[in-house]
Amino acid sequence: MSSEGEAEAEAEAQYFCKDFDWEDLRAEIEANPSFAYHLESSSSSSSAPPESDVQAWKQFHLRHASGKFFKERRYLLKEFPELLSCPPNSMLLEVGCGNGSTALPILRANKDLIVYACDCSDETLERAKEIISAASTDASFKHRFRTFCCDLSTNGFPNWLACNPSQDNFLQKQSYCLSGVREDNGLHFTNLSPSEEFECCGGGVDFVTLIFTLSAVPLERMPKSVKECFIVLKPGGMVFFRDYGLYDMTMLRFEPDKQVGFREYMRSDGTRSYFFCLDTVRSLFLGAGFTEVLFFFNWKTSFWDWYKLTCAPT
């Protein structure tokens, strides 16, 4: 084996060195009396006005605007190799892009991929564009990273994202696109600008990434959110999903007063987290019309424990 191959093998071994058996973990947690409250439904209500959820995340990102809080998620290229092997001009929709920590390594690795990125905070999107621009390695970055403000869980995606790009009549196309620009208290806008060469009608996307995004959505609004992802995908498109798993250390650190539902918690700053089990993930995605292509269950002993699920529309 070459030195390069040995280095890759060593890195692979290091990556999985903290894996452990899920059944052993579950038995340990469920037998521990100090964790009993995590196994019960909370009497607290998880319902809150959508505006309060949006405002909480806006404030969260403002507090961590330096860009040092989030690290680039380079591991995504290992976990989702389809992002490297897709045809030129494939389109990816990054949902809940935050400061661009998911989009940046993808843009670097695949110079033929166009990334549409949305978030519920226009301030956060501006910061993401600044970070992406500062890290640009070629002039195409600016044209391949296209942002729009959107609260997926309440209003869905704008119509232009999935409309038919073959419309010949410009006025008809323009009317169709503008119908997707909703006011909704400022939660939606599209930066449709000829100077930025922003394509008005996307015709659907090839990939959707949901990376630690769905857990921030109230449980009762998750089915709608997943269905929206299904609607904007082209036939055969794929969703790449990673999020908190049941009995993650982050979950176990929550005190009882932070529990607002079954496996659902709210931090003191108003942001929330849900912790998924396999049955819940499958119910959400298969119920929205997806077909399970690949499931990989990967637990780590660090803060981040997650599921990986790749789905494709039937």
Side-chain angles (χ1 to χ4, degrees):
M1 180 182 296
S2 67
S3 58
E4 182 177 345
E6 291 176 354
E8 290 180 0
E10 183 177 348
E12 189 82 3
Q14 181 67 26
Y15 186 77
F16 291 104
C17 70
K18 294 184 178 180
D19 289 2
F20 56 88
D21 186 82
W22 155 244
E23 293 299 333
D24 290 344
L25 172 68
R26 181 171 66 175
E28 178 184 344
I29 298 301
E30 295 180 356
N32 190 330
S34 66
F35 294 139
Y37 65 93
H38 292 294
L39 313 179
E40 304 167 354
S41 296
S42 171
S43 58
S44 302
S45 173
S46 65
S47 61
E51 295 79 8
S52 64
D53 289 314
V54 170
Q55 189 60 33
W57 283 108
K58 282 185 177 182
Q59 293 301 316
F60 174 87
H61 285 291
L62 285 174
R63 287 194 302 276
H64 302 291
S66 67
K68 297 179 180 179
F69 184 80
F70 297 97
K71 305 298 183 182
E72 285 186 43
R73 291 167 171 161
R74 298 186 181 93
Y75 63 79
L76 294 175
L77 303 173
K78 177 187 289 289
E79 299 297 341
F80 306 129
E82 294 88 349
L83 295 173
L84 296 175
S85 59
C86 56
N89 297 316
S90 293
M91 291 187 291
L92 164 71
L93 171 62
E94 161 66 355
V95 182
C97 67
N99 72 340
S101 57
T102 292
L104 182 54
I106 295 173
L107 286 165
R108 278 201 183 112
N110 189 338
K111 300 185 185 304
D112 294 318
L113 186 66
I114 298 169
V115 176
Y116 289 86
C118 69
D119 201 280
C120 63
S121 166
D122 49 358
E123 296 90 350
T124 300
L125 290 171
E126 287 302 314
R127 181 57 181 155
K129 287 192 287 186
E130 291 173 5
I131 292 174
I132 296 291
S133 178
S136 298
T137 56
D138 62 71
S140 72
F141 261 48
K142 181 177 70 172
H143 303 292
R144 293 190 295 115
F145 185 65
R146 308 172 180 183
T147 63
F148 62 99
C149 194
C150 172
D151 179 10
L152 167 67
S153 70
T154 57
N155 304 300
F157 294 120
N159 292 337
W160 58 261
L161 192 60
C163 71
N164 187 343
S166 63
Q167 301 285 347
D168 293 325
N169 189 300
F170 174 78
L171 293 178
Q172 180 181 4
K173 175 188 281 189
Q174 186 180 52
S175 173
Y176 197 114
C177 293
L178 292 177
S179 70
V181 183
R182 312 169 200 166
E183 294 297 332
D184 292 333
N185 298 320
L187 298 182
H188 278 75
F189 77 90
T190 54
N191 52 344
L192 301 180
S193 168
S195 63
E196 295 185 12
E197 299 180 8
F198 197 95
E199 292 185 17
C200 188
C201 288
V205 297
D206 302 283
F207 306 108
V208 173
T209 50
L210 282 168
I211 311 298
F212 295 103
T213 296
L214 197 60
S215 58
V217 174
L219 181 60
E220 66 270 17
R221 300 209 295 266
M222 286 186 192
K224 169 183 170 59
S225 301
V226 175
K227 188 65 177 181
E228 284 289 320
C229 294
F230 181 88
I231 291 172
V232 300
L233 273 170
K234 296 176 182 177
M238 305 179 80
V239 163
F240 300 118
F241 172 75
R242 272 204 168 202
D243 220 314
Y244 291 110
L246 186 62
Y247 303 148
D248 186 298
M249 285 301 297
T250 303
M251 173 182 176
L252 300 180
R253 288 191 174 97
F254 276 111
E255 297 295 332
D257 64 326
K258 301 301 182 184
Q259 191 173 14
V260 294
F262 188 47
R263 301 171 181 169
E264 192 172 11
Y265 303 80
M266 184 172 290
R267 303 176 184 88
S268 57
D269 63 3
T271 60
R272 66 177 70 224
S273 283
Y274 181 85
F275 295 84
F276 294 93
C277 69
L278 173 56
D279 289 342
T280 300
V281 173
R282 281 186 166 142
S283 176
L284 285 168
F285 283 89
L286 300 184
F290 287 94
T291 299
E292 185 177 328
V293 175
L294 174 66
F295 177 77
F296 180 68
F297 191 34
N298 186 19
W299 290 97
K300 306 283 183 186
T301 54
S302 64
F303 289 103
W304 305 110
D305 299 340
W306 44 61
Y307 294 102
K308 173 184 174 183
L309 184 68
T310 307
C311 300
T314 53

